Amino acid sequence: MIKAVIFDMDGLLIDSEPLWHDASKKALQSVGVDLTKEDFSKTLGRGITNAIDDWYHMKPWKGASQAEIKALIIDDFVELVKNGGKAKPGVPEVLELFKSKPLPMAIASSTDYKIIDTVVDTLKIRGYFKVIYSAEHETHGKPHPGVFISTAKRLKVEPRQCLVFEDAPSGVLAAKAAHMKCIAVPEPEVKDHPFIQTADIIIDSLEEFDEATLTSLGK
């Protein structure tokens, strides 16, 4: 039985991938690195610190440290969210559905609290969530299941009784490693990724999720 619902944030609740791409591309260009869409897609769901480390190993640069690049990206991303961040289609309806059950909800994100706070306040969705938790407190980021297991503890619910919504391959793998049910809502370019295929259900948009789908999962 599903007793709690956990949401990833980037690319799932907010249409953030274009904003991340623009902010990351701008920061890396400052040190002479051209970040391609393929480079970016390889790090989806990994969290900004892990992504920067991955990019550095792909295309090493001189000058600014990884920490300085991270600060540039975060500052630019925060401004982009404040000035034009939008919820993904279906977000209000899904949040209202779980609120009506009522099922406690949480955010478990790979990103830092500064960004999480900016997003939930820009989208005005903070009130829906009992727990908001960042993997910045975890030893390992996704695909390690730690962020989801820690979130379940804060919800006071067993992992196997949690339903996770994820858009990234690493996030789906983390949810399944935590022994949670998982709905994958991937971007087209990663829909066929083997990690995505381990999800219990794959949908193209949160608009497709309804009460009948929840019932089919054992609510």
Side-chain angles (χ1 to χ4, degrees):
M1 177 180 286
I2 304 300
K3 292 189 176 181
V5 185
I6 302 173
F7 292 89
D8 175 48
M9 188 186 73
D10 280 315
L12 182 85
L13 297 178
I14 183 171
D15 189 12
S16 59
E17 303 309 343
L19 308 184
W20 274 121
H21 183 267
D22 290 349
S24 301
K25 189 177 182 70
K26 179 181 175 181
L28 288 173
Q29 282 178 339
S30 73
V31 289
V33 173
D34 185 27
L35 180 65
T36 68
K37 190 171 183 180
E38 182 181 0
D39 294 334
F40 182 77
S41 66
K42 288 178 181 177
T43 60
L44 286 177
R46 292 267 293 138
I48 187 63
T49 300
N50 291 327
I52 292 171
D53 190 53
D54 291 346
W55 295 330
Y56 181 79
H57 284 92
M58 289 180 207
K59 302 177 178 181
W61 61 81
K62 295 180 180 180
S65 67
Q66 291 187 36
E68 289 169 331
I69 291 296
K70 177 180 177 179
L72 287 175
I73 293 173
I74 289 176
D75 287 346
D76 199 21
F77 179 79
V78 164
E79 288 306 310
L80 290 171
V81 170
K82 288 179 178 178
N83 293 328
K86 295 181 180 179
K88 296 280 279 188
V91 168
E93 292 80 6
V94 165
L95 295 180
E96 283 294 325
L97 171 63
F98 291 124
K99 181 181 177 181
S100 72
K101 289 299 134 189
L103 286 170
M105 290 177 273
I107 287 175
S109 175
S110 293
T111 197
D112 294 358
Y113 278 112
K114 178 180 178 180
I115 295 169
I116 297 174
D117 288 337
T118 299
V119 169
V120 297
D121 291 336
T122 298
L123 300 185
K124 297 179 171 57
I125 57 174
R126 184 181 293 275
Y128 285 101
F129 300 104
K130 181 178 180 181
V131 172
I132 294 177
Y133 185 67
S134 167
E136 69 177 280
H137 291 318
E138 296 291 321
T139 304
H140 303 287
K142 301 172 186 175
H144 191 279
V147 66
F148 287 129
I149 293 171
S150 294
T151 300
K153 287 180 180 177
R154 284 162 172 77
L155 287 166
K156 296 180 171 57
V157 175
E158 291 295 322
R160 61 186 174 78
Q161 296 175 321
C162 294
L163 172 64
V164 172
F165 283 81
E166 264 285 355
D167 69 304
S170 60
V172 173
L173 186 61
K176 297 310 297 179
H179 303 292
M180 297 178 177
K181 299 279 189 180
C182 184
I183 305 288
V185 196
E187 294 296 327
E189 59 265 30
V190 296
K191 188 173 182 179
D192 294 327
H193 193 287
F195 293 172
I196 293 291
Q197 297 303 310
T198 66
D200 296 271
I201 296 175
I202 302 171
I203 56 179
D204 293 324
S205 168
L206 285 175
E207 294 174 300
E208 297 176 26
F209 189 86
D210 55 19
E211 191 162 355
T213 309
L214 177 59
T215 300
S216 73
L217 290 165
K219 172 62 179 73

